[in-house]
Amino acid sequence: MTDATPVDESVPAEPSATPEEVSERVNNRSQRPVSEAFKAFITSRWAPRPDLGVEASTASEYTPARRAGLSARFPGARLVVPAGSLKVRSNDTDYRFRPHSAFAHLTGLGTDEEPDAVLVLHPTASGEGDPDGDGHGTDHHAVLYVRPLAARDTEEFYADSRYGEFWVGARPSLDDVTTLTGIEARHVDELRDALAKDVGEDGVRLLVVTGADESVETLVEAIRTEAGVEQVEDEEATDEQLVEAASELRLVKDEQEIAQLREAVARTIEGFEQVVGSLSRAVAHRRGERVIETTFDAHARLEGNAVGYETIAAAGEHATTLHWTTNDGVVRHGEMVLVDAGVEVDSLYTADITRTLPVDGEFTEVQRRVYTAVLDAADAAFAVARPGTKFRDIHAAAMEVIAARLEEWGLLPDGVTAEVSLSAEGQQHRRWMVHGTSHHLGLDVHDCAQARRELYLDGVLEPGMVFTIEPGLYFKADDLAVPEEYRGMGVRIEDDVLVTADGNENLSAALPRRPEDIEAWMARLRG
Protein backbone atom coordinates (compact mmCIF):
# COMPACT_ATOMS: atom_id res chain seq x y z
CA MET A 1 0.00 0.00 0.00
CA THR A 2 1.18 3.55 -0.70
CA ASP A 3 2.94 5.23 2.18
CA ALA A 4 0.31 7.36 3.89
CA THR A 5 2.41 10.51 4.10
CA PRO A 6 3.65 12.76 1.27
CA VAL A 7 7.36 12.76 0.44
CA ASP A 8 9.46 15.75 1.34
CA GLU A 9 12.89 15.57 -0.24
CA SER A 10 13.65 19.16 0.68
CA VAL A 11 13.79 18.64 4.43
CA PRO A 12 17.18 17.45 5.69
CA ALA A 13 17.18 14.31 7.80
CA GLU A 14 18.52 15.93 10.94
CA PRO A 15 17.56 14.99 14.48
CA SER A 16 15.07 17.32 16.08
CA ALA A 17 16.31 19.47 18.91
CA THR A 18 13.14 18.79 20.85
CA PRO A 19 12.13 15.15 21.42
CA GLU A 20 8.66 14.35 20.04
CA GLU A 21 5.92 13.00 22.24
CA VAL A 22 5.11 9.36 21.38
CA SER A 23 1.58 10.38 20.38
CA GLU A 24 3.01 12.81 17.82
CA ARG A 25 5.22 10.30 16.05
CA VAL A 26 2.57 8.69 13.85
CA ASN A 27 3.77 10.68 10.86
CA ASN A 28 7.43 10.90 11.77
CA ARG A 29 8.27 9.35 8.39
CA SER A 30 6.72 12.36 6.66
CA GLN A 31 8.90 14.10 4.16
CA ARG A 32 6.33 16.48 2.74
CA PRO A 33 7.71 19.27 0.57
CA VAL A 34 7.40 22.61 2.32
CA SER A 35 8.99 25.03 -0.08
CA GLU A 36 6.89 27.92 -1.38
CA ALA A 37 7.96 26.96 -4.89
CA PHE A 38 6.45 23.51 -4.44
CA LYS A 39 3.22 24.90 -3.02
CA ALA A 40 2.84 27.37 -5.84
CA PHE A 41 3.48 24.72 -8.47
CA ILE A 42 1.29 21.92 -7.10
CA THR A 43 -1.69 24.24 -6.67
CA SER A 44 -1.55 25.63 -10.19
CA ARG A 45 -2.33 24.59 -13.78
CA TRP A 46 -5.20 22.20 -13.10
CA ALA A 47 -8.10 21.79 -15.51
CA PRO A 48 -11.57 22.42 -14.07
CA ARG A 49 -12.78 19.50 -12.01
CA PRO A 50 -15.21 17.25 -13.88
CA ASP A 51 -18.77 17.15 -12.62
CA LEU A 52 -19.20 14.15 -10.30
CA GLY A 53 -22.58 13.50 -11.90
CA VAL A 54 -24.37 13.27 -8.58
CA GLU A 55 -28.09 12.52 -8.73
CA ALA A 56 -30.71 12.15 -6.04
CA SER A 57 -30.52 8.72 -4.43
CA THR A 58 -33.50 6.38 -4.40
CA ALA A 59 -33.36 6.46 -0.62
CA SER A 60 -33.89 10.24 -0.61
CA GLU A 61 -37.56 9.60 -1.42
CA TYR A 62 -37.95 7.63 1.82
CA THR A 63 -35.64 9.29 4.33
CA PRO A 64 -37.91 12.32 5.01
CA ALA A 65 -40.57 10.01 6.46
CA ARG A 66 -37.94 8.30 8.60
CA ARG A 67 -36.72 11.64 9.94
CA ALA A 68 -40.31 12.70 10.57
CA GLY A 69 -40.79 9.61 12.71
CA LEU A 70 -37.84 10.60 14.87
CA SER A 71 -38.94 14.23 14.97
CA ALA A 72 -42.33 13.26 16.36
CA ARG A 73 -40.69 11.54 19.33
CA PHE A 74 -38.67 14.59 20.39
CA PRO A 75 -40.55 17.83 19.75
CA GLY A 76 -38.49 20.92 20.52
CA ALA A 77 -35.18 19.04 20.96
CA ARG A 78 -32.13 19.36 18.73
CA LEU A 79 -31.22 15.86 17.57
CA VAL A 80 -27.61 15.07 16.67
CA VAL A 81 -26.87 11.92 14.64
CA PRO A 82 -23.15 11.50 13.79
CA ALA A 83 -21.91 9.36 10.93
CA GLY A 84 -18.79 8.54 12.90
CA SER A 85 -15.13 9.10 12.17
CA LEU A 86 -12.45 7.11 10.44
CA LYS A 87 -11.01 4.48 12.78
CA VAL A 88 -7.33 3.75 12.92
CA ARG A 89 -6.36 0.26 11.87
CA SER A 90 -2.65 0.61 12.47
CA ASN A 91 -0.66 3.78 13.11
CA ASP A 92 -1.67 6.07 10.22
CA THR A 93 -3.80 3.64 8.22
CA ASP A 94 -7.56 3.50 8.65
CA TYR A 95 -10.24 0.88 8.30
CA ARG A 96 -12.64 1.29 5.42
CA PHE A 97 -15.31 3.67 6.69
CA ARG A 98 -18.84 2.57 7.50
CA PRO A 99 -21.28 5.19 8.78
CA HIS A 100 -23.32 4.55 11.91
CA SER A 101 -26.53 2.73 11.04
CA ALA A 102 -28.82 5.44 12.45
CA PHE A 103 -27.07 8.01 10.26
CA ALA A 104 -27.29 5.77 7.18
CA HIS A 105 -30.99 5.11 7.80
CA LEU A 106 -31.90 8.78 8.19
CA THR A 107 -29.76 10.11 5.31
CA GLY A 108 -29.61 7.23 2.82
CA LEU A 109 -25.81 7.46 2.70
CA GLY A 110 -24.06 4.08 2.56
CA THR A 111 -20.74 2.47 1.55
CA ASP A 112 -17.82 4.58 2.82
CA GLU A 113 -19.55 7.95 2.41
CA GLU A 114 -18.96 11.00 4.58
CA PRO A 115 -16.78 10.27 7.59
CA ASP A 116 -17.11 13.02 10.23
CA ALA A 117 -20.51 14.10 8.86
CA VAL A 118 -23.24 14.91 11.34
CA LEU A 119 -26.98 15.01 10.70
CA VAL A 120 -28.75 17.53 12.88
CA LEU A 121 -32.50 17.89 13.18
CA HIS A 122 -33.01 21.47 14.31
CA PRO A 123 -36.29 22.21 16.08
CA THR A 124 -38.50 24.79 14.43
CA ALA A 125 -41.23 26.92 15.91
CA SER A 126 -44.23 24.76 16.75
CA GLY A 127 -46.78 24.92 14.01
CA GLU A 128 -44.37 25.77 11.20
CA GLY A 129 -45.43 22.44 9.81
CA ASP A 130 -43.14 21.45 6.97
CA PRO A 131 -39.81 23.33 7.09
CA ASP A 132 -38.15 20.83 4.74
CA GLY A 133 -40.92 21.00 2.15
CA ASP A 134 -41.15 17.23 2.00
CA GLY A 135 -44.80 16.94 2.92
CA HIS A 136 -44.19 15.06 6.17
CA GLY A 137 -45.21 17.80 8.57
CA THR A 138 -42.13 17.56 10.81
CA ASP A 139 -41.30 20.35 13.22
CA HIS A 140 -37.58 19.85 12.61
CA HIS A 141 -35.32 21.09 9.84
CA ALA A 142 -32.61 18.65 8.74
CA VAL A 143 -29.08 19.85 8.02
CA LEU A 144 -26.09 17.70 7.09
CA TYR A 145 -22.78 19.07 8.35
CA VAL A 146 -20.02 17.63 6.16
CA ARG A 147 -16.43 18.16 5.17
CA PRO A 148 -16.76 19.20 1.52
CA LEU A 149 -14.25 19.10 -1.30
CA ALA A 150 -11.33 21.46 -0.61
CA ALA A 151 -10.10 23.89 -3.22
CA ARG A 152 -6.90 23.00 -5.05
CA ASP A 153 -5.07 25.99 -3.62
CA THR A 154 -5.35 24.54 -0.11
CA GLU A 155 -2.89 22.34 1.73
CA GLU A 156 -5.60 19.73 2.26
CA PHE A 157 -5.71 19.12 -1.50
CA TYR A 158 -2.23 17.62 -1.68
CA ALA A 159 -1.07 17.03 1.89
CA ASP A 160 -3.94 15.53 3.87
CA SER A 161 -3.73 11.74 3.54
CA ARG A 162 -7.15 11.26 5.18
CA TYR A 163 -9.22 13.79 3.28
CA GLY A 164 -7.11 15.30 0.50
CA GLU A 165 -8.15 14.83 -3.11
CA PHE A 166 -4.63 13.72 -4.05
CA TRP A 167 -4.92 10.82 -1.59
CA VAL A 168 -8.54 9.69 -1.44
CA GLY A 169 -10.13 11.28 -4.50
CA ALA A 170 -12.55 14.15 -4.88
CA ARG A 171 -15.06 14.56 -2.08
CA PRO A 172 -18.54 15.80 -2.96
CA SER A 173 -19.28 19.49 -2.70
CA LEU A 174 -22.02 20.86 -0.45
CA ASP A 175 -24.32 21.10 -3.47
CA ASP A 176 -23.51 17.47 -4.37
CA VAL A 177 -24.46 16.29 -0.89
CA THR A 178 -27.74 18.21 -1.01
CA THR A 179 -28.56 16.79 -4.44
CA LEU A 180 -27.76 13.25 -3.35
CA THR A 181 -29.63 13.27 -0.04
CA GLY A 182 -32.24 15.99 -0.42
CA ILE A 183 -30.90 17.48 2.84
CA GLU A 184 -29.40 20.95 3.19
CA ALA A 185 -25.62 20.58 3.49
CA ARG A 186 -23.35 22.93 5.40
CA HIS A 187 -19.65 22.88 6.29
CA VAL A 188 -18.80 20.87 9.39
CA ASP A 189 -16.87 23.86 10.72
CA GLU A 190 -20.26 25.45 11.44
CA LEU A 191 -21.37 22.55 13.63
CA ARG A 192 -20.40 23.90 17.04
CA ASP A 193 -22.21 27.19 16.70
CA ALA A 194 -25.24 25.44 15.20
CA LEU A 195 -25.48 22.99 18.10
CA ALA A 196 -25.01 25.66 20.76
CA LYS A 197 -27.72 28.00 19.50
CA ASP A 198 -30.41 28.61 22.15
CA VAL A 199 -29.28 25.68 24.30
CA GLY A 200 -30.04 26.40 27.93
CA GLU A 201 -32.12 25.59 30.95
CA ASP A 202 -35.26 27.07 29.42
CA GLY A 203 -34.15 26.70 25.83
CA VAL A 204 -33.44 23.93 23.35
CA ARG A 205 -32.59 20.49 24.70
CA LEU A 206 -29.58 18.93 22.94
CA LEU A 207 -29.58 15.15 22.35
CA VAL A 208 -26.96 13.02 20.62
CA VAL A 209 -26.86 9.45 19.34
CA THR A 210 -24.06 8.00 21.44
CA GLY A 211 -21.62 5.32 20.36
CA ALA A 212 -21.07 6.83 16.91
CA ASP A 213 -18.47 9.59 17.30
CA GLU A 214 -16.72 10.32 20.58
CA SER A 215 -15.59 13.76 19.47
CA VAL A 216 -19.17 14.83 18.72
CA GLU A 217 -20.35 13.46 22.07
CA THR A 218 -17.58 15.45 23.78
CA LEU A 219 -18.65 18.57 21.91
CA VAL A 220 -22.29 18.11 22.91
CA GLU A 221 -21.30 17.59 26.55
CA ALA A 222 -19.14 20.72 26.48
CA ILE A 223 -22.02 22.77 25.10
CA ARG A 224 -24.35 21.43 27.78
CA THR A 225 -21.84 22.27 30.49
CA GLU A 226 -21.36 25.80 29.17
CA ALA A 227 -25.14 26.25 29.12
CA GLY A 228 -25.54 24.82 32.61
CA VAL A 229 -27.66 21.92 31.41
CA GLU A 230 -27.24 18.43 32.85
CA GLN A 231 -29.00 15.25 31.76
CA VAL A 232 -31.05 13.36 34.34
CA GLU A 233 -32.04 9.71 33.79
CA ASP A 234 -35.73 10.25 34.49
CA GLU A 235 -36.06 13.12 32.04
CA GLU A 236 -38.52 12.74 29.20
CA ALA A 237 -35.76 13.08 26.60
CA THR A 238 -32.24 11.68 27.01
CA ASP A 239 -29.45 10.53 24.73
CA GLU A 240 -30.31 6.94 25.60
CA GLN A 241 -33.89 7.47 24.50
CA LEU A 242 -32.71 8.97 21.20
CA VAL A 243 -30.54 5.91 20.55
CA GLU A 244 -33.49 3.71 21.43
CA ALA A 245 -35.87 5.61 19.16
CA ALA A 246 -33.46 5.57 16.22
CA SER A 247 -33.21 1.80 16.58
CA GLU A 248 -36.97 1.29 16.91
CA LEU A 249 -37.57 3.30 13.73
CA ARG A 250 -36.05 0.38 11.82
CA LEU A 251 -38.30 -2.34 13.24
CA VAL A 252 -40.68 -1.94 10.29
CA LYS A 253 -38.97 -1.58 6.92
CA ASP A 254 -40.22 0.66 4.13
CA GLU A 255 -40.31 -0.30 0.43
CA GLN A 256 -36.79 0.91 -0.26
CA GLU A 257 -35.34 -1.05 2.62
CA ILE A 258 -37.15 -4.22 1.60
CA ALA A 259 -35.86 -3.82 -1.95
CA GLN A 260 -32.31 -3.49 -0.65
CA LEU A 261 -32.72 -6.60 1.50
CA ARG A 262 -33.99 -8.54 -1.50
CA GLU A 263 -30.89 -7.44 -3.39
CA ALA A 264 -28.63 -8.50 -0.52
CA VAL A 265 -30.31 -11.92 -0.35
CA ALA A 266 -29.99 -12.45 -4.11
CA ARG A 267 -26.27 -11.66 -4.06
CA THR A 268 -25.84 -13.92 -1.02
CA ILE A 269 -27.48 -16.86 -2.77
CA GLU A 270 -25.03 -16.40 -5.63
CA GLY A 271 -22.22 -16.52 -3.07
CA PHE A 272 -23.48 -19.84 -1.70
CA GLU A 273 -23.49 -21.24 -5.23
CA GLN A 274 -19.84 -20.28 -5.54
CA VAL A 275 -19.12 -21.91 -2.18
CA VAL A 276 -20.45 -25.23 -3.48
CA GLY A 277 -18.10 -24.92 -6.44
CA SER A 278 -15.18 -24.37 -4.08
CA LEU A 279 -15.67 -27.48 -1.92
CA SER A 280 -13.27 -29.70 -3.85
CA ARG A 281 -10.53 -27.08 -3.44
CA ALA A 282 -11.46 -26.75 0.21
CA VAL A 283 -10.98 -30.47 0.83
CA ALA A 284 -7.57 -30.34 -0.81
CA HIS A 285 -6.31 -27.35 1.17
CA ARG A 286 -4.87 -27.46 4.70
CA ARG A 287 -7.10 -24.47 5.52
CA GLY A 288 -10.15 -25.63 3.68
CA GLU A 289 -12.51 -23.51 5.73
CA ARG A 290 -10.64 -20.44 4.58
CA VAL A 291 -11.09 -21.48 0.97
CA ILE A 292 -14.85 -21.33 1.60
CA GLU A 293 -14.59 -18.02 3.46
CA THR A 294 -12.51 -16.27 0.83
CA THR A 295 -14.69 -17.57 -1.98
CA PHE A 296 -17.75 -15.99 -0.41
CA ASP A 297 -16.02 -12.83 0.76
CA ALA A 298 -14.53 -12.12 -2.67
CA HIS A 299 -17.99 -12.45 -4.20
CA ALA A 300 -19.41 -10.08 -1.56
CA ARG A 301 -16.82 -7.45 -2.33
CA LEU A 302 -17.30 -7.77 -6.09
CA GLU A 303 -21.10 -7.75 -6.07
CA GLY A 304 -21.81 -5.66 -2.98
CA ASN A 305 -19.99 -3.47 -0.49
CA ALA A 306 -18.54 -6.29 1.60
CA VAL A 307 -19.75 -9.04 3.89
CA GLY A 308 -22.34 -7.94 6.45
CA TYR A 309 -20.42 -9.75 9.21
CA GLU A 310 -17.49 -12.12 9.45
CA THR A 311 -18.26 -15.26 7.46
CA ILE A 312 -18.61 -18.49 9.41
CA ALA A 313 -17.19 -21.47 7.50
CA ALA A 314 -17.30 -24.24 10.09
CA ALA A 315 -16.52 -27.80 9.06
CA GLY A 316 -17.09 -30.85 11.23
CA GLU A 317 -16.65 -30.17 14.95
CA HIS A 318 -16.15 -26.44 14.33
CA ALA A 319 -19.84 -26.20 13.44
CA THR A 320 -20.63 -26.69 17.12
CA THR A 321 -18.97 -23.34 17.91
CA LEU A 322 -21.74 -20.88 17.20
CA HIS A 323 -19.60 -17.97 16.03
CA TRP A 324 -16.63 -19.83 14.56
CA THR A 325 -14.87 -17.22 12.40
CA THR A 326 -11.25 -18.34 12.67
CA ASN A 327 -11.95 -20.55 9.66
CA ASP A 328 -8.56 -22.23 9.61
CA GLY A 329 -9.66 -25.86 9.81
CA VAL A 330 -9.62 -28.68 7.33
CA VAL A 331 -12.69 -29.76 5.36
CA ARG A 332 -13.02 -33.52 5.33
CA HIS A 333 -14.89 -36.01 3.17
CA GLY A 334 -17.93 -37.44 4.92
CA GLU A 335 -18.50 -34.39 7.13
CA MET A 336 -20.73 -31.36 6.84
CA VAL A 337 -19.77 -27.68 6.65
CA LEU A 338 -21.92 -24.97 8.20
CA VAL A 339 -21.73 -21.73 6.21
CA ASP A 340 -23.27 -18.63 7.79
CA ALA A 341 -22.73 -15.64 5.50
CA GLY A 342 -24.34 -12.52 4.10
CA VAL A 343 -23.57 -9.95 1.42
CA GLU A 344 -23.88 -6.32 2.48
CA VAL A 345 -24.92 -4.22 -0.52
CA ASP A 346 -23.77 -0.65 -1.11
CA SER A 347 -26.70 0.76 0.87
CA LEU A 348 -25.35 -1.25 3.85
CA TYR A 349 -28.36 -3.57 4.12
CA THR A 350 -27.23 -7.14 4.65
CA ALA A 351 -28.55 -10.65 4.25
CA ASP A 352 -27.89 -13.34 6.87
CA ILE A 353 -28.26 -16.91 5.63
CA THR A 354 -26.99 -20.25 6.89
CA ARG A 355 -26.86 -23.60 5.14
CA THR A 356 -25.28 -26.78 6.42
CA LEU A 357 -23.92 -28.71 3.45
CA PRO A 358 -22.64 -32.27 3.11
CA VAL A 359 -19.08 -31.94 1.84
CA ASP A 360 -19.51 -34.84 -0.58
CA GLY A 361 -22.94 -33.72 -1.77
CA GLU A 362 -25.00 -36.34 0.05
CA PHE A 363 -26.09 -36.56 3.68
CA THR A 364 -25.40 -39.67 5.72
CA GLU A 365 -28.36 -41.20 7.55
CA VAL A 366 -27.47 -39.57 10.87
CA GLN A 367 -26.69 -36.22 9.25
CA ARG A 368 -30.05 -36.29 7.49
CA ARG A 369 -31.83 -37.16 10.74
CA VAL A 370 -30.37 -34.16 12.56
CA TYR A 371 -30.78 -31.86 9.57
CA THR A 372 -34.45 -32.81 9.16
CA ALA A 373 -35.14 -32.11 12.83
CA VAL A 374 -33.71 -28.59 12.44
CA LEU A 375 -35.67 -28.07 9.22
CA ASP A 376 -38.90 -29.13 10.90
CA ALA A 377 -38.21 -26.67 13.72
CA ALA A 378 -37.66 -23.89 11.17
CA ASP A 379 -40.89 -24.78 9.37
CA ALA A 380 -42.78 -24.63 12.67
CA ALA A 381 -41.39 -21.15 13.26
CA PHE A 382 -42.43 -20.06 9.76
CA ALA A 383 -45.96 -21.28 10.47
CA VAL A 384 -46.46 -18.77 13.29
CA ALA A 385 -44.56 -15.83 11.77
CA ARG A 386 -47.52 -13.66 10.82
CA PRO A 387 -49.06 -10.35 11.88
CA GLY A 388 -50.41 -10.41 15.41
CA THR A 389 -47.98 -13.07 16.65
CA LYS A 390 -45.49 -12.10 19.31
CA PHE A 391 -41.86 -12.16 18.22
CA ARG A 392 -40.99 -14.54 21.07
CA ASP A 393 -43.58 -17.07 19.77
CA ILE A 394 -41.34 -17.80 16.77
CA HIS A 395 -38.67 -19.19 19.08
CA ALA A 396 -41.23 -21.07 21.15
CA ALA A 397 -42.59 -22.85 18.07
CA ALA A 398 -39.12 -23.98 17.01
CA MET A 399 -38.27 -25.18 20.51
CA GLU A 400 -41.34 -27.41 20.68
CA VAL A 401 -40.03 -29.37 17.71
CA ILE A 402 -36.46 -29.48 18.98
CA ALA A 403 -37.51 -30.73 22.42
CA ALA A 404 -39.87 -33.35 20.94
CA ARG A 405 -37.17 -34.69 18.61
CA LEU A 406 -34.59 -34.89 21.38
CA GLU A 407 -37.08 -36.80 23.52
CA GLU A 408 -37.79 -39.13 20.61
CA TRP A 409 -34.06 -39.84 20.24
CA GLY A 410 -33.70 -40.49 23.96
CA LEU A 411 -31.30 -37.62 24.53
CA LEU A 412 -33.15 -35.78 27.28
CA PRO A 413 -32.19 -36.78 30.86
CA ASP A 414 -34.02 -39.71 32.43
CA GLY A 415 -37.54 -38.79 33.44
CA VAL A 416 -37.52 -35.54 31.48
CA THR A 417 -40.16 -35.30 28.78
CA ALA A 418 -40.32 -32.67 26.08
CA GLU A 419 -43.10 -30.98 28.04
CA VAL A 420 -40.99 -30.83 31.18
CA SER A 421 -37.98 -29.58 29.25
CA LEU A 422 -40.02 -26.79 27.65
CA SER A 423 -41.09 -25.48 31.05
CA ALA A 424 -39.28 -22.47 32.50
CA GLU A 425 -37.87 -24.75 35.23
CA GLY A 426 -36.59 -27.29 32.70
CA GLN A 427 -34.91 -26.15 29.49
CA GLN A 428 -32.67 -29.22 29.29
CA HIS A 429 -33.10 -29.30 25.51
CA ARG A 430 -31.30 -25.96 25.29
CA ARG A 431 -28.02 -27.77 25.98
CA TRP A 432 -27.97 -28.41 22.24
CA MET A 433 -29.28 -25.01 21.10
CA VAL A 434 -28.31 -22.22 23.45
CA HIS A 435 -29.04 -19.36 21.02
CA GLY A 436 -32.33 -17.77 20.05
CA THR A 437 -34.23 -18.58 16.88
CA SER A 438 -34.64 -15.09 15.42
CA HIS A 439 -33.27 -11.56 15.29
CA HIS A 440 -34.26 -8.51 13.28
CA LEU A 441 -32.28 -7.85 10.12
CA GLY A 442 -31.52 -4.73 8.13
CA LEU A 443 -28.66 -2.21 8.18
CA ASP A 444 -27.15 -4.29 10.96
CA VAL A 445 -27.07 -8.06 10.90
CA HIS A 446 -28.57 -7.86 14.40
CA ASP A 447 -30.72 -4.86 13.60
CA CYS A 448 -32.74 -2.75 16.04
CA ALA A 449 -30.72 -4.10 18.96
CA GLN A 450 -31.32 -1.00 21.09
CA ALA A 451 -35.12 -1.26 20.82
CA ARG A 452 -37.11 -1.69 24.01
CA ARG A 453 -37.93 -5.24 25.05
CA GLU A 454 -41.67 -4.60 24.74
CA LEU A 455 -41.19 -3.68 21.08
CA TYR A 456 -38.63 -6.38 20.24
CA LEU A 457 -38.77 -9.66 22.15
CA ASP A 458 -42.28 -9.02 23.47
CA GLY A 459 -43.30 -7.06 20.39
CA VAL A 460 -46.11 -8.04 18.03
CA LEU A 461 -45.23 -8.81 14.42
CA GLU A 462 -46.27 -6.25 11.81
CA PRO A 463 -46.10 -6.25 8.00
CA GLY A 464 -42.72 -4.91 6.93
CA MET A 465 -40.70 -6.52 9.72
CA VAL A 466 -37.71 -8.55 8.52
CA PHE A 467 -35.94 -11.08 10.69
CA THR A 468 -34.17 -14.41 10.58
CA ILE A 469 -35.44 -17.86 11.45
CA GLU A 470 -32.45 -20.00 12.42
CA PRO A 471 -32.84 -23.02 14.69
CA GLY A 472 -29.96 -25.43 15.11
CA LEU A 473 -28.62 -28.48 16.90
CA TYR A 474 -25.00 -28.72 18.04
CA PHE A 475 -23.42 -31.89 19.39
CA LYS A 476 -19.84 -31.31 20.49
CA ALA A 477 -17.24 -34.01 19.97
CA ASP A 478 -16.75 -34.47 23.72
CA ASP A 479 -20.45 -34.42 24.65
CA LEU A 480 -20.97 -37.60 26.66
CA ALA A 481 -24.70 -36.90 26.98
CA VAL A 482 -25.28 -38.07 23.38
CA PRO A 483 -24.42 -41.26 21.51
CA GLU A 484 -21.15 -41.23 19.62
CA GLU A 485 -22.88 -41.12 16.22
CA TYR A 486 -24.07 -37.56 16.94
CA ARG A 487 -20.83 -36.16 18.30
CA GLY A 488 -18.85 -33.56 16.38
CA MET A 489 -21.82 -32.42 14.32
CA GLY A 490 -23.55 -29.04 14.11
CA VAL A 491 -26.52 -28.08 11.93
CA ARG A 492 -28.12 -24.67 11.49
CA ILE A 493 -30.61 -23.54 8.83
CA GLU A 494 -31.19 -19.80 8.58
CA ASP A 495 -33.50 -17.85 6.30
CA ASP A 496 -34.49 -14.19 6.02
CA VAL A 497 -38.19 -13.57 6.50
CA LEU A 498 -40.49 -10.67 5.61
CA VAL A 499 -43.80 -10.33 7.43
CA THR A 500 -46.58 -9.67 4.93
CA ALA A 501 -50.19 -8.56 5.38
CA ASP A 502 -51.44 -12.14 5.69
CA GLY A 503 -48.38 -14.19 6.62
CA ASN A 504 -44.74 -14.14 5.64
CA GLU A 505 -42.39 -14.46 2.69
CA ASN A 506 -39.14 -16.38 2.85
CA LEU A 507 -36.81 -13.93 1.08
CA SER A 508 -34.14 -16.62 0.79
CA ALA A 509 -36.44 -19.38 -0.49
CA ALA A 510 -34.47 -19.63 -3.74
CA LEU A 511 -31.68 -21.30 -1.77
CA PRO A 512 -32.63 -24.97 -1.23
CA ARG A 513 -33.56 -26.00 2.31
CA ARG A 514 -34.82 -29.61 2.17
CA PRO A 515 -32.04 -32.23 2.24
CA GLU A 516 -33.06 -33.82 -1.06
CA ASP A 517 -33.18 -30.40 -2.71
CA ILE A 518 -29.75 -29.51 -1.35
CA GLU A 519 -28.31 -32.74 -2.75
CA ALA A 520 -29.84 -32.11 -6.19
CA TRP A 521 -28.69 -28.47 -6.15
CA MET A 522 -25.13 -29.42 -5.23
CA ALA A 523 -25.04 -32.10 -7.91
CA ARG A 524 -26.20 -29.62 -10.54
CA LEU A 525 -23.64 -27.00 -9.52
CA ARG A 526 -20.85 -29.55 -9.56
CA GLY A 527 -21.83 -30.71 -13.02
Side-chain angles (χ1 to χ4, degrees), residues 340-353:
D340 186 334
V343 172
E344 176 188 86
V345 292
D346 289 345
S347 61
L348 305 183
Y349 287 84
T350 184
D352 180 9
I353 299 174

Side-chain angles (χ1 to χ4, degrees), residues 196-266:
K197 184 179 179 181
D198 299 327
V199 172
E201 188 171 337
D202 298 318
V204 172
R205 182 174 298 280
L206 191 59
L207 303 177
V208 61
V209 170
T210 56
D213 190 322
E214 186 177 347
S215 65
V216 174
E217 291 179 45
T218 300
L219 173 60
V220 167
E221 194 55 47
I223 292 171
R224 287 173 179 157
T225 300
E226 291 168 9
V229 178
E230 299 293 334
Q231 280 210 340
V232 181
E233 286 187 11
D234 61 358
E235 287 179 332
E236 292 183 3
T238 63
D239 292 342
E240 184 176 281
Q241 289 169 325
L242 178 59
V243 171
E244 180 182 87
S247 187
E248 291 170 358
L249 274 178
R250 305 201 302 272
L251 283 167
V252 177
K253 271 58 178 178
D254 59 35
E255 291 180 0
Q256 188 262 347
E257 294 180 280
I258 293 169
Q260 291 302 302
L261 285 164
R262 290 186 187 279
E263 175 73 10
V265 167

